Amino acid sequence: MQRRNNLLHSSLKVDHTAFDAFKSDFAKVSPPVVRAVAERLLRGDQVTCFTGDERRVRDLLKQVSHVTAHVDGSSGVKVHRRNEIRGLMVEKGLPSFYLTINPTDVYNPIIKLLSGSEFDIDNMTPDDVPNYWTQSILIANNPVITSRFFHLYMTAFV
């Protein structure tokens, strides 16, 4: 699905001031030369360009930037989100309240509950708080429990 979004919502961008020169250089390059340079780059050869046309293709690649919009996780979406946050700060002002959440999984009994251990969490006493060492071993042996705990904790918080 992400590959489809990437193909549908991708475009190439060239600086406005260099567009006329780019357009004329692009018209002079033949498709087989572009294919040869692309194959060379796919093999990992970043340096070798033998002919003038291949050098021209490399120079054109330096002038073009790949823009992805509406593709989750892409740099375009990140820039869009950052700009949204900046716009909100201009409109509403800087946030005046910051909150840092740090769920400690080493002492939390929910980890034991998620791992399948059976105990009564409602009637727990301070002596029943998990031991740091045994809880650490439990977490190290099954990190999925920790991610489930974190998801559960954040979902409950939000």
Side-chain angles (χ1 to χ4, degrees):
M1 190 66 169
Q2 187 173 7
R3 179 182 283 173
R4 181 178 184 276
N5 283 339
N6 198 1
L7 292 172
L8 287 175
H9 300 292
S10 294
S11 59
L12 300 176
K13 182 173 117 178
V14 177
D15 188 27
H16 177 69
T17 57
F19 183 74
D20 290 330
F22 179 85
K23 182 173 59 173
S24 64
D25 284 345
F26 189 71
K28 295 175 188 174
V29 175
S30 66
V33 174
V34 174
R35 180 180 300 278
V37 171
E39 289 172 355
R40 207 175 274 156
L41 289 173
L42 281 173
R43 286 192 308 263
D45 185 4
Q46 299 285 331
V47 181
T48 311
C49 284
F50 297 108
T51 66
D53 285 341
E54 289 176 347
R55 271 190 239 110
R56 186 177 295 132
V57 169
R58 290 297 305 252
D59 292 340
L60 288 173
L61 283 173
K62 290 178 186 173
Q63 295 176 17
V64 172
S65 51
H66 182 246
V67 179
T68 53
H70 310 295
V71 178
D72 290 336
S74 68
S75 58
V77 169
K78 289 177 187 175
V79 168
H80 179 72
R81 296 285 184 234
R82 256 188 242 122
N83 288 339
E84 275 185 313
I85 291 170
R86 287 185 185 121
L88 283 170
M89 287 192 307
V90 167
E91 182 182 328
K92 309 260 185 213
L94 289 172
S96 58
F97 180 71
Y98 295 94
L99 181 65
T100 303
I101 303 168
N102 187 10
T104 54
D105 49 4
V106 180
Y107 294 109
N108 202 310
I110 296 176
I111 293 284
K112 281 188 128 178
L113 190 66
L114 290 173
S115 70
S117 298
E118 297 209 11
F119 65 95
D120 189 10
I121 200 164
D122 294 327
N123 297 322
M124 213 172 120
T125 64
D127 295 334
D128 295 334
V129 174
N131 182 345
Y132 176 83
W133 184 253
T134 57
Q135 191 88 340
S136 297
I137 291 171
L138 178 68
I139 290 168
N141 287 336
N142 194 352
V144 175
I145 292 172
T146 307
S147 65
R148 286 183 182 162
F149 165 73
F150 184 79
H151 179 72
L152 179 73
Y153 203 87
M154 290 299 121
T155 305
F157 181 79
V158 175

